Structures are given as C-alpha cells and as structure tokens.
Amino acid sequence: MGKDLAPILKNWSARPSAGSEGFTLTLEIAGQPNPLKLFLMPAEARTLCRFIQVANGDAD
C-alpha cells in the first residue's frame, strides 16, 4: 500500500532508424491497447542503458 508500482512490460523491440543515428524503442505495456514508441539518439540510449544497469545492480 502506498507503493508506486510500474506497469508490466509484455514485450519490447529496438529498430535502427533509416537515415538517422538513433533508433526506435517500442514498448508493449500490459493493459494498454497500443505500444509506446520512443525515438532515442545515441546519447539518450547510453543514459537509459546506464540507468538500467544501476537499477539491476550491474553498474561498473
């Protein structure tokens, strides 16, 4: 009770963007009719990667 629960991630995919350095990250969230699509540039992707590593206890 009183805890902030994250939605359940059903599936994800990453696809390089044609003609750009970035890529599209697609997240399928349980209970949501449409996937969430995010365009990430390399710097944003590195930041996200570091965040996930720290959250998983994998930080170097």
Side-chain angles (χ1 to χ4, degrees):
M1 298 202 348
K3 293 184 178 180
D4 190 18
L5 299 176
I8 297 171
L9 180 64
K10 289 185 355 182
N11 195 16
W12 68 274
S13 64
R15 180 175 41 89
S17 181
S20 177
E21 293 181 41
F23 67 94
T24 300
L25 176 63
T26 302
L27 305 173
E28 294 179 30
I29 309 295
Q32 296 297 316
N34 298 315
L36 177 64
K37 294 186 179 191
L38 307 165
F39 181 76
L40 299 175
M41 295 298 289
E44 296 166 327
R46 285 190 294 276
T47 299
L48 177 60
C49 180
R50 283 192 296 273
F51 175 79
I52 291 170
Q53 287 175 331
V54 168
N56 286 324
D58 297 334
D60 293 330

